[in-house]
Amino acid sequence: QVQFVESGGGLVQPGGSLRVSCAVSGIMIKEYAIAWYRQAPGKQRELVATTFITELIDYADSVKGRFTISRDNAKNTVYLQMNSLKPEDTAIYYCNAPYYYNYKDYWGQGTQVTVSS
């Protein structure tokens, strides 16, 4: 069964950095695009960044220039390096494979990122 386990979140000062990890099982990530999403309380889940199997990468405008998504296919793990963090980045961060069949059924627990002084 496909499973996404997010980790690495925590409390960070504005302007700080954090790297979150997504360990994937059940699929080989080299065969799938993997994306990071985030959701703040009372708000819709939003797409943050995507790494495609073609090695193309896409970012939301709100994080462009600050966040970097990367993949380690050998470890079946995807990362999101977050720099210059802002309070509005506070959210639960999730990963998923948006082209996997019924991918919305497979959300993990996410990892909480809180940016506050």
Side-chain angles (χ1 to χ4, degrees), residues 21-40:
S21 300
C22 171
V24 185
S25 60
I27 60 170
M28 298 177 67
I29 67 166
K30 69 178 182 179
E31 301 292 337
Y32 289 90
I34 305 294
W36 282 99
Y37 304 78
R38 66 186 182 187
Q39 188 170 29

Side-chain angles (χ1 to χ4, degrees), residues 52-70:
F52 296 93
I53 60 175
T54 61
E55 299 183 5
L56 292 175
I57 293 171
D58 187 67
Y59 297 99
D61 288 342
S62 59
V63 307
K64 199 168 297 180
R66 300 188 297 121
F67 289 13
T68 303
I69 188 171
S70 62

